[in-house]
Amino acid sequence: MKLQSVVRHATSRAAKRRLPAVAVLGAAIAAAVGATVLPAGAARAQATPPAQQKTQVPGYYRMMVGQLEVTALYDGYIDLDPKILKYTSAREVQSLLARMFVESTPGMQTAVNAYLINTGRNLVLVDTGAAGCFGPTLGRIGENLRAAGYAPEQVDTVLLTHLHGDHACGLAANGQPAFPNATVYVDKADADYWLNETTAAAAPKDAQGLFAMARAAVAPYQAANRFRTFNGGAGAEPIPGVRAVPAYGHTPGHSGYVFTSGKDSLLLWGDIIHSHAVQFRRPQVAIEFDTDSHAAVITRKRILADAAKGQLWVGGAHLPFPGLGHVRRDTAGYSWVPAEYGPIRTDR
Ligand SMILES: [Zn+2]
C-alpha cells in the first residue's frame, strides 16, 4: 500500500471510529511496512546489539570570521605531566584541574591544533602539527586537511607561530615538503635561535632533539628558496592583511597572527596557553618548555588582556579542539568562552 493511501485510509477510519487519527495512522504505517506494533512502554528485544563504533568524527571544524573562512584542523593530542607547570604548587594545579573536570592521569590531555584560513586570495596554514615527531597520538593534519575539502598542494602560505616540533614537523614528509607550493614564514628571532648549529650544540642534551626537528622541518623549503623570516617587532605583515603579533618568551620569536575582515579579527596565538584549566585562571603559571618563562608570563598577561579587551576571536594551538572562542576577563583571571557549533553563517 502506498503511503498516501495509508494516510487517507487511516484518517477516514479514525473519523468513523472516533479514534485519534495519529494512533490509527501509526498502526497503519507499521502494518504497511511489516513492523510489529508494540504496546506502549514495551522493550524491544534485540538479539545482538550493534557494536560500539569507537571512532571519532573527522578532526576539522569550520566557521566564518567576517569574509574569512577559518578551518580548525586537529593534529591529535599529547598527555602532559602536570608537574611541568611552573610558578605554582601541585596542590593548586590539582584543584584547578578538578574545577574544570580535567583528568591528570596518565597526563593532562592537550590538543594540538592548526588553522587553515581561506582569505579568498590566499590559502594560509598556521602551524602544521607534529607529523611523526612525538608519537602516534599526533600527526593528523594532512588527513584532516583533506577531510576538510582541501589538498596540501593548494596551501600557498604557511605561517609558523614558532619552531617547536609540534608546530613545525608537519612541514616535511620524508625529507620532502608536505606543502610543495607553500612559502613558509617565521619570526627571524625564532629562526636565528632554532636553526643555529652553535646554539644547538650549546643547549642541554635533552633539548638538542628540538633543534634537530626544527632544522629538518624547514630544510626542504630552504632548499627550494621558499623559507622567509620577518621582523615581528616592526609590525610585520608576512602576507598582505595578516599582521604578526610578537609574543616572545615561550620561544625567542614566538608570534601570533591577526587576520582581520571588516569589524572582525581572529588572533591565532600559538602557545599562549598550554593548560586551559590552569592558565586562564592563573596566567602567571608557566611551563617548562618555555625558553624564557618570565618573559612568557609577561607576554601571556598582555595577550590575554588584549584579546579580552578587543573581543577578538582567538584560535589556540593547545586549547580544547577546535580551540576557537573568546577570552573574558573575570574577577579571578580570565575565562575561555568556546565557539558554538553551528552552520556556516554568511549573513553576519
Ligand atoms: Zn611550543
Side-chain angles (χ1 to χ4, degrees):
M1 204 187 304
K2 288 242 173 69
L3 191 58
Q4 295 94 315
S5 62
V6 169
V7 172
R8 252 195 324 272
H9 187 65
T11 317
S12 67
R13 256 197 316 155
K16 271 184 215 145
R17 294 166 57 196
R18 295 182 180 279
L19 285 172
V22 67
V24 179
L25 181 59
I29 290 175
V33 298
T36 313
V37 182
L38 296 171
R44 183 185 289 260
Q46 209 158 19
T48 317
Q52 295 179 341
Q53 298 300 308
K54 305 255 173 101
T55 54
Q56 190 47 279
V57 296
Y60 73 90
Y61 177 75
R62 188 166 283 150
M63 61 178 278
M64 298 300 288
V65 173
Q67 298 299 307
L68 304 166
E69 183 203 71
V70 179
T71 307
L73 299 174
Y74 188 60
D75 193 50
Y77 69 92
I78 189 158
D79 285 329
L80 293 179
D81 184 342
K83 289 199 192 97
I84 61 174
L85 294 170
K86 295 165 68 171
Y87 312 144
T88 179
S89 64
R91 199 180 152 157
E92 181 179 62
V93 168
Q94 282 310 322
S95 104
L96 290 169
L97 294 179
R99 179 179 165 268
M100 294 298 281
F101 303 92
V102 173
E103 308 246 2
S104 57
T105 49
M108 306 178 290
Q109 179 180 298
T110 306
V112 174
N113 309 322
Y115 296 91
L116 185 70
I117 318 296
N118 189 336
T119 67
R121 271 197 306 192
N122 293 93
L123 187 61
V124 185
L125 181 62
V126 177
D127 289 336
T128 64
C133 282
F134 296 103
T137 61
L138 294 160
R140 302 232 145 85
I141 291 299
E143 73 183 61
N144 285 326
L145 184 140
R146 285 191 173 85
Y150 289 102
E153 296 75 23
Q154 294 175 307
V155 175
D156 57 69
T157 306
V158 174
L159 303 177
L160 295 173
T161 57
H162 59 304
L163 281 166
H164 274 164
D166 51 329
H167 302 256
C169 282
L171 279 174
N174 303 317
Q176 299 299 312
F179 305 98
N181 298 312
T183 301
V184 176
Y185 297 83
V186 71
D187 189 289
K188 186 171 184 302
D190 237 47
D192 287 350
Y193 183 77
W194 293 107
L195 306 179
N196 183 314
E197 295 194 26
T198 315
T199 312
K205 265 239 164 330
D206 60 351
Q208 292 195 356
L210 291 175
F211 289 85
M213 283 175 193
R215 281 205 303 275
V218 302
Y221 299 85
Q222 289 174 314
N225 193 24
R226 288 179 173 275
F227 181 72
R228 307 273 184 275
T229 60
F230 56 82
N231 182 356
E237 279 199 7
I239 60 169
V242 181
R243 186 165 51 85
V245 178
Y248 305 156
H250 176 59
T251 63
H254 180 261
S255 299
Y257 295 98
V258 173
F259 290 71
T260 298
S261 172
K263 63 178 176 43
D264 297 307
S265 287
L266 167 70
L267 167 64
L268 299 175
W269 74 18
D271 284 13
I272 289 297
I273 299 277
H274 287 88
S275 168
H276 70 97
V278 174
Q279 290 172 301
F280 279 112
R281 188 103 166 158
R282 301 267 191 281
Q284 66 272 30
V285 174
I287 196 162
E288 280 181 12
F289 308 140
D290 295 331
T291 309
D292 179 343
S293 286
H294 288 287
V297 167
I298 292 166
T299 293
R300 179 163 32 261
K301 289 178 175 173
R302 170 172 58 84
I303 298 280
L304 287 171
D306 289 351
K309 187 159 178 247
Q311 302 186 352
L312 306 177
W313 276 106
V314 166
H318 299 304
L319 296 177
F321 185 77
L324 290 164
H326 289 94
V327 176
R328 188 182 63 216
R329 182 98 176 85
D330 271 346
T331 42
Y334 294 86
S335 292
W336 175 242
V337 184
E340 179 187 344
Y341 182 98
I344 299 300
R345 297 285 299 260
T346 51
D347 55 347
R348 285 180 166 158

